[in-house]
């Protein structure tokens, strides 16, 4: 729990749903601060000041078993409005003498039609005129007996108690997921809970946090030195700029050129940070050693490991050359923090460390400083914009730590990297030129390890296949492939084949995530 936030906040208790983070994002998008907590923290929490509402997330457990993660009853006595989603609804039901049953016939996955039964502030402007709305479900258990003191607000064919309300106690339960975009007007329902029921004030805006974050860095670091691995990605760029604003030249940045970035990207980032922002950046050209260590490696996980370990080794060696450094700055984001702990508070899930700095603090005896640890990626992006990070960096697509290595399937060679950089650059520039770049969450070109026969002019060719991928997404957890026009695809195919020697076939990846992932390896 962040004790520094004195604003109105909505507390989300995580029971392990895959989409809990989306609940927090939806609330923040409304201009109200939200935080995700787990059962262990809630049991210890004494001060509920500023908490205007509590949301129980969904989760994989079932209340039909003898033992299940339950909410401490004190939470229901706080007189703070509560919204239970999916498993959260079922928890509310069993705590107030309702019944929940597993029934094959009641289970619903995907879209369902929700129908209105009675009025409630929770559903203001939520239903269309026909008194029905499409919602997204993912449940096997269903509430089969209304809990004491509750009223039925809405239902579906399969489950008769899909929204329930106890107006006096301000407790609400819903079986579907308003946080996912597949639920029509899901944002409206969350808005109703936050403003009409919780009466929270709209006073969270990440741009207003910048001075607070800068002051926090100043007060922690004082006159000590901070070191930072700068890649040119959004997270490390925002971190470097923020810390530089706080402590000026006591920040030392190291850029390790792995040779695995996009065409000209490394030089550009170095130039901007060194000459435009006047930040102390040391450049290490390590591409040769990276290529050498990656030679003949085809296994994706092995590639990641080799890159990660080598990066650490080089960074560590360079960092030791700076004297009197006490802190290591890292671009850890809020989702990384949430993912690093389990919903029940046990230590079963491992910390997800960034590939490029994981393990460093322990070895180097440096203290960690993570100024973005309470923010989502899009908030870090906005914060970057408000402290002067140039748009080309702050609005760029995400780029994976291992870089082009996981976009060259199979063996990596300097020749293949060059071919891919050229193809990728043509693709991305066309997206920008045609004003499509910002409609897409992530786009890239990849090189497949197959050569096929083609014909160019009067000659037969035998060259590589380039795969292009472009997806829309909110957070990278799920993604849909982008629907390009045939004209655009024609243009891309032609430009890549005519412009890049070594490629004679271009294919477009039409899979979504799931079942595929965004990257190929
Ligand atoms: P996948 O391929 O898992 O990717 O659907 C989801 C998002 O994560 C990015 N990604 C990475 N980012 N280090 C990173 O910093 C990595 O090792 C890594 N692997 C995947 C990917 O680009 C996408 O945005």
């Amino acid at each position: 729990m962040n004790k520094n936030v004195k604003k109105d906040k909505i507390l989300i208790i995580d029971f392990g749903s895959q989409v809990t983070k989306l609940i927090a994002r939806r609330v923040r998008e409304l201009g109200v601060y939200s935080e995700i907590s787990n059962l262990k923290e809630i049991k210890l929490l004494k001060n509920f000041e500023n908490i205007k509402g509590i949301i129980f997330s969904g989760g994989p457990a079932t209340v039909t078993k003898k033992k299940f993660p339950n909410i401490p009853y004190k939470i229901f006595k706080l007189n703070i409005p509560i919204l239970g989603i999916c498993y959260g609804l079922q928890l509310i039901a069993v705590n107030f003498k309702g019944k929940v049953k597993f029934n094959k016939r009641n289970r619903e996955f995907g879209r369902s039609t929700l129908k209105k039964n009675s009025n409630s502030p929770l559903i203001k402007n939520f239903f269309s005129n026909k008194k029905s709305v499409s919602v997204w479900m993912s449940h096997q258990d269903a509430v089969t007996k209304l809990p004491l003191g509750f009223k039925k607000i809405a239902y579906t064919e399969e489950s008769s108690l899909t929204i329930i309300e106890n107006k006096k106690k301000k407790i609400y339960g819903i079986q579907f997921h308003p946080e996912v975009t597949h639920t029509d007007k899901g944002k409206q329902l969350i808005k109703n809970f936050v403003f009409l029921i919780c009466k929270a004030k709209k006073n969270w805006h990440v741009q207003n946090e910048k001075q607070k974050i800068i002051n926090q860095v100043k007060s922690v670091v004082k006159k000590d030195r901070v070191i930072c691995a700068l890649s040119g990605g959004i997270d490390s760029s925002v971190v470097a700029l923020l810390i530089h604003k706080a402590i000026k030249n006591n920040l030392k940045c190291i850029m390790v050129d792995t040779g695995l970035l996009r065409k000209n990207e490394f030089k550009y980032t170095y130039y901007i940070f060194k000459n435009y922002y006047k930040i102390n950046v040391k450049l290490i050209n390590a591409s040769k050693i990276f290529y050498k260590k990656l030679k003949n490696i085809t296994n994706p996980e092995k590639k990641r490991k080799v890159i990660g370990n080598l990066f650490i080794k080089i960074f560590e060696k360079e960092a030791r050359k700076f004297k009197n450094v006490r802190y290591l700055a890292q671009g850890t984001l809020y989702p990384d923090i949430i993912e690093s702990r389990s919903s029940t508070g046990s230590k079963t899930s491992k910390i997800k460390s960034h590939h490029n700095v994981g393990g460093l603090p322990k070895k180097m005896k440096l203290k960690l400083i993570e100024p973005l640890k309470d923010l989502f990626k899009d908030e870090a992006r906005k914060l970057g914009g408000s402290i002067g990070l140039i748009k080309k960096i702050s609005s760029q697509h995400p780029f994976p730590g291992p870089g082009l290595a996981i976009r060259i399937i199979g063996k990596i060679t300097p020749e293949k990297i060059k071919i891919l950089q050229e193809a990728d650059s043509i693709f991305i520039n066309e997206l920008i030129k045609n004003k499509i770049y910002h409609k897409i969450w992530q786009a890239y070109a990849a090189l497949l390890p197959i050569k096929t026969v083609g014909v160019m002019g009067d000659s037969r060719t035998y060259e590589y296949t380039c795969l292009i991928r472009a997806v829309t997404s909110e957070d990278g957890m799920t993604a849909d492939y982008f629907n390009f026009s045939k004209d655009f695809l024609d243009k891309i195919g032609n430009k890549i084949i005519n412009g890049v020697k070594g490629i004679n076939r271009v294919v477009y990846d039409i899979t979504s995530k799931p079942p595929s992932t965004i990257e190929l390896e």
Side-chain angles (χ1 to χ4, degrees):
M1 188 89 38
N2 192 336
K3 293 188 185 93
N4 296 316
V5 178
K6 299 282 181 229
K7 294 178 178 11
D8 282 3
K9 70 172 117 172
I10 301 292
L11 187 67
I12 294 147
I13 304 178
D14 183 17
F15 287 95
S17 157
Q18 297 290 314
V19 285
T20 303
K21 282 178 280 182
L22 287 183
I23 310 173
R25 273 192 58 168
R26 295 286 170 264
V27 174
R28 289 192 189 184
E29 278 162 16
L30 294 169
V32 177
Y33 186 70
S34 68
E35 262 181 35
I36 298 176
S37 203
N38 60 22
L39 267 185
K40 192 179 173 191
E41 287 171 347
I42 288 300
K43 283 177 187 159
L44 298 173
L45 190 63
K46 299 237 162 17
N47 182 0
F48 286 82
E49 213 187 318
N50 304 319
I51 296 174
K52 295 288 166 189
I54 300 175
I55 300 179
F56 305 163
S57 83
T62 170
V63 299
T64 61
K65 289 239 167 94
K66 257 194 183 159
K67 270 188 139 183
F68 57 89
N70 200 355
I71 201 81
Y73 200 76
K74 67 171 185 185
I75 297 294
F76 294 113
K77 291 187 166 168
L78 294 168
N79 201 25
I80 297 175
I82 290 173
L83 174 68
I85 297 175
C86 197
Y87 179 75
L89 154 79
Q90 294 157 13
L91 268 185
I92 291 171
V94 291
N95 275 282
F96 289 90
K97 300 192 166 51
K99 275 213 172 88
V100 176
K101 276 194 182 156
F102 166 73
N103 185 339
K104 263 191 183 162
R105 270 181 300 134
N106 293 140
R107 62 186 198 169
E108 291 169 286
F109 293 99
R111 284 185 207 277
S112 275
T113 303
L114 184 74
K115 294 184 179 149
K116 184 174 163 182
N117 189 68
S118 351
N119 271 326
S120 158
L122 189 66
I123 55 166
K124 192 177 174 200
N125 299 327
F126 180 57
F127 284 91
S128 64
N129 289 339
K130 284 190 212 140
K131 297 195 173 172
S132 71
V133 66
S134 177
V135 297
W136 194 76
M137 294 279 203
S138 179
H139 71 111
Q140 309 231 29
D141 294 348
V143 182
T144 52
K145 186 182 149 213
L146 199 60
L148 288 181
F150 282 76
K151 185 172 147 189
K152 169 172 167 174
I153 303 297
Y155 60 98
T156 64
E157 293 267 298
E158 282 72 24
S159 46
S160 71
L161 298 164
T162 309
I163 303 185
I164 59 171
E165 165 195 85
N166 183 329
K167 204 169 179 182
K168 203 166 142 218
K169 288 190 188 300
K170 291 180 265 179
I171 302 177
Y172 296 78
I174 55 180
Q175 184 56 74
F176 54 92
H177 291 267
E179 67 276 28
V180 301
T181 46
H182 309 295
T183 292
D184 292 352
K185 297 215 251 168
K187 285 183 189 173
Q188 179 66 42
L189 191 137
I190 295 174
K191 192 173 172 186
N192 292 341
F193 177 70
V194 169
F195 295 120
L196 297 182
I197 296 165
C198 302
K199 313 231 179 296
K201 279 194 213 86
K202 191 174 176 168
N203 55 12
W204 157 258
H205 210 299
V206 70
Q207 282 93 324
N208 301 343
E209 299 299 300
K210 69 178 175 203
Q211 202 49 50
K212 202 173 82 193
I213 299 176
I214 292 169
N215 291 345
Q216 271 169 5
V217 173
K218 266 188 200 165
S219 71
V220 170
V221 175
K222 299 192 176 78
K223 296 215 154 106
D224 286 316
R225 281 176 160 187
V226 178
I227 206 152
C228 170
L230 181 64
S231 70
I234 300 159
D235 313 341
S236 68
S237 299
V238 177
V239 164
L241 262 191
L242 266 175
I243 295 186
H244 185 250
K245 285 204 180 297
I247 61 166
K248 300 285 177 241
N249 289 335
N250 275 348
L251 169 72
K252 313 285 171 200
C253 292
I254 296 177
M255 285 186 77
V256 178
D257 186 359
T258 59
L260 300 165
L261 290 192
R262 293 187 147 124
K263 189 179 171 185
N264 295 333
E265 202 166 79
F266 201 81
K267 274 193 220 143
Y268 177 78
T269 307
Y270 178 71
Y271 176 85
I272 290 291
F273 278 86
K274 180 103 191 148
N275 299 318
Y276 182 66
Y277 294 120
K278 311 257 183 264
I279 289 180
N280 190 336
V281 194
K282 185 168 180 192
L283 187 81
I284 312 295
N285 186 345
S287 52
K288 277 198 184 128
I289 170 114
F290 272 90
Y291 295 163
K292 196 172 151 207
K293 294 270 179 197
L294 284 167
K295 200 175 168 189
N296 293 330
I297 295 179
T298 53
N299 179 296
E301 274 315 297
K302 207 158 172 212
K303 278 184 190 172
R304 284 171 189 269
K305 281 216 174 87
V306 166
I307 296 169
N309 291 340
L310 186 56
F311 190 98
I312 288 170
K313 231 168 126 182
I314 296 172
F315 181 84
E316 216 185 336
K317 192 174 147 206
E318 289 308 319
R320 255 190 259 118
K321 294 180 187 164
F322 287 106
K323 297 285 169 243
N324 308 322
V325 175
R326 278 195 70 190
Y327 292 92
L328 171 75
Q330 235 179 246
T332 315
L333 293 170
Y334 193 44
D336 303 325
I337 301 281
I338 303 165
E339 277 164 21
S340 72
R341 47 168 208 211
S342 78
S343 55
T344 49
S346 73
K347 286 182 181 163
T348 47
S349 50
K350 266 178 91 184
I351 299 250
K352 181 187 153 203
S353 44
H354 291 225
H355 91 281
N356 49 357
V357 279
L360 275 177
K362 230 178 180 175
K363 268 184 137 180
M364 296 170 65
K365 298 196 174 65
L366 291 177
K367 288 186 179 170
L368 262 191
I369 179 155
E370 300 171 303
L372 308 181
K373 71 177 181 350
D374 295 321
L375 305 183
F376 286 101
K377 192 159 196 112
D378 53 330
E379 292 172 333
R381 222 185 263 277
K382 280 188 196 146
L383 183 66
S386 77
I387 53 170
L389 187 61
I390 53 168
K391 204 155 174 243
K392 188 166 165 21
I393 296 179
S394 74
S395 65
Q396 69 188 325
H397 291 169
F399 187 74
L404 300 182
I406 56 168
R407 293 177 180 175
I408 294 174
I409 314 308
K411 285 183 194 171
I412 297 162
T413 63
E415 180 219 2
K416 283 186 183 173
I417 291 172
K418 185 99 187 47
I419 293 174
L420 182 57
Q421 281 177 332
E422 291 302 325
D424 186 75
S425 161
I426 290 174
F427 181 36
I428 299 297
N429 285 337
E430 278 305 310
L431 291 176
I432 295 169
K433 229 163 82 186
N434 288 272
K435 300 197 169 34
I436 316 178
Y437 184 83
H438 294 297
K439 292 183 183 160
I440 290 169
W441 197 75
Q442 195 168 4
Y444 65 84
L447 205 63
L448 302 184
I450 35 170
K451 284 190 168 181
T452 61
V453 174
V455 54
M456 283 173 102
D458 290 329
S459 333
R460 177 186 181 278
T461 58
Y462 189 57
E463 316 263 44
Y464 287 113
T465 301
C466 169
L467 173 142
I468 53 173
R469 184 132 172 85
V471 294
T472 54
S473 176
E474 279 212 30
D475 44 25
M477 279 161 63
T478 60
D480 290 317
Y481 72 88
F482 188 77
N483 204 357
F484 287 119
S485 68
K486 183 175 178 302
D487 279 356
F488 184 80
L489 288 174
D490 288 348
K491 188 155 48 175
I492 284 301
N494 280 334
K495 287 214 163 189
I496 291 179
I497 288 181
N498 290 331
V500 190
K501 198 165 165 347
I503 291 175
N504 69 349
R505 197 173 291 270
V506 177
V507 294
Y508 184 43
D509 186 342
I510 53 160
T511 41
S512 294
K513 174 183 177 179
S516 294
T517 50
I518 294 176
E519 301 293 342
L520 300 188
E521 287 193 332

